[in-house]
Amino acid sequence: MSNFIVYILTDNNRRYFEIDFTSNMLSTVVELQQANSFTFQQGSSLNRIIYSEAFSKLACAKKRMNELQNFTHLQIERIIRKNNPNWNNLFPQQQQAYTKRNSNYAA
């Protein structure tokens, strides 16, 4: 079972990348959604997860994250285009599911 996910975030213009890893993708997506609701026009908003890799060991995930962080912008783009040619957000469904789930308790 894969417990750790290395992911790449980008903004709407695909100009900036952030590479990180998590053990709970749902909470990461929710944190991103909340953070982006507070940053209105203050710089670029990294709001789309466009690449992810799953690992079963923390050491492997950290190694891959460090490896990706040392890549150039062009190398990162090539990896993304190979796995996600349309640069689609890979986790929009989880944002909607979490919102719907919490809306039942808000009443």
Side-chain angles (χ1 to χ4, degrees):
M1 182 176 168
S2 58
N3 297 331
F4 304 99
I5 299 173
V6 175
Y7 61 91
I8 299 176
L9 291 170
T10 192
D11 58 340
N12 290 332
N13 296 327
R14 305 175 186 170
R15 185 172 179 183
Y16 301 103
F17 297 125
E18 182 178 317
I19 301 166
D20 205 355
F21 75 95
T22 184
S23 61
N24 186 348
M25 187 54 86
L26 180 59
S27 68
T28 302
V29 169
V30 171
E31 287 175 18
L32 286 171
Q33 185 180 17
Q34 290 173 350
N36 288 327
S37 68
F38 292 120
T39 57
F40 297 104
Q41 297 297 327
Q42 302 170 359
S44 65
S45 173
L46 300 173
N47 56 1
R48 298 179 350 179
I49 298 174
I50 53 171
Y51 177 81
S52 66
E53 281 185 64
F55 296 92
S56 59
K57 295 181 182 179
L58 176 63
C60 294
K62 283 185 177 181
K63 181 179 177 184
R64 181 60 173 164
M65 181 187 73
N66 290 333
E67 192 175 281
L68 289 172
Q69 287 175 337
N70 289 324
F71 281 7
T72 65
H73 196 276
L74 184 60
Q75 288 173 315
I76 293 171
E77 279 187 15
R78 285 181 184 155
I79 289 173
I80 294 166
R81 288 182 199 280
K82 181 179 178 184
N83 296 295
N84 186 1
N86 295 326
W87 293 66
N88 296 326
N89 188 356
L90 300 178
F91 294 96
Q93 305 86 358
Q94 290 185 350
Q95 289 178 342
Q96 295 169 358
Y98 183 81
T99 305
K100 287 179 186 176
R101 191 176 331 139
N102 282 346
S103 65
N104 294 338
Y105 300 110

